[in-house]
Amino acid sequence: MAERVDRDANQALRARFDEVYGQYQRLRSGVDDLRTELAALRVTERSDDGQVTATVGARGELISVELAGEVYHDRDHNALSRKITMTVHRACARAATATQELVVAHLPAGSGSVEFLRTGDFGALFGRADAVLRREDERHG
C-alpha cells in the first residue's frame, strides 16, 4: 500500500514538474521574441506645431531629432530648446508605455513583475516570495 502511495505521489510531482517546466519553456522562448521586439521598437513624437520630430527606442534612448526648416524663422533659441526637450520627453513617455505593454504580454498573468511594471510598487515584485517565506516561518515557528 505504501508503495502505491509513493508511486502516486511521484506521478503527481512529475506531472507538476512537467507543467512548470512547460511554462518555463514557453516563457523562455517568449523572451527571445521580446528581445527582438524591444530592439525594433521605435516611438516618434512631433511637437504641437510639427516643427520638431523626436524618435526614441524602447529604453527611451534618443534615436533622432529632426527639425523642420521653419524653426529657423523664429530666432528664440530658448523656445526651440524647450520644444525639443518637451517633444523628446513625450516620446520617452510613450516608449515607456509601449515597452511595458510588450513586456507584460510576455509574462504570466498575475505575476508580480506585471504588477510592478504597471504600478512601480516594489512590494509587488516580492509579494509571492514574502508569502512563501511567511508560510515557511509559520510551519517552523
Side-chain angles (χ1 to χ4, degrees), residues 9-23 128:
N10 284 339
Q11 284 177 335
L13 285 173
R14 190 171 297 124
R16 178 68 179 134
F17 174 79
D18 290 343
E19 177 186 338
V20 170
Y21 187 67
Q23 289 174 348
R128 185 172 181 183

Side-chain angles (χ1 to χ4, degrees), residues 122-138:
F122 280 99
L125 282 176
F126 304 112
R128 185 172 181 183
D130 289 344
V132 168
L133 289 174
R134 274 193 299 276
R135 282 189 299 239
E136 286 298 315
D137 285 347
E138 289 169 2

Side-chain angles (χ1 to χ4, degrees), residues 2-12 14:
E3 185 177 313
R4 171 136 175 93
V5 170
D6 288 344
R7 195 171 344 125
D8 290 345
N10 284 339
Q11 284 177 335
R14 190 171 297 124

Side-chain angles (χ1 to χ4, degrees), residues 5 12 17 20-22 25 29 44-45 48 59 62-63 69 77 83-84 87-88 92 97 102-103 115:
V5 170
F17 174 79
V20 170
Y21 187 67
Q25 286 179 314
S29 69
T44 299
E45 186 72 30
D48 293 337
R59 293 185 315 262
L62 185 60
I63 305 295
H77 66 281
K83 190 183 307 187
I84 291 170
T87 304
V88 170
C92 288
T97 299
L102 279 175
V103 171
E115 191 60 27

Side-chain angles (χ1 to χ4, degrees), residues 112-113 115-127:
S113 301
E115 191 60 27
F116 171 73
L117 285 172
R118 287 192 180 128
T119 65
D121 176 16
F122 280 99
L125 282 176
F126 304 112

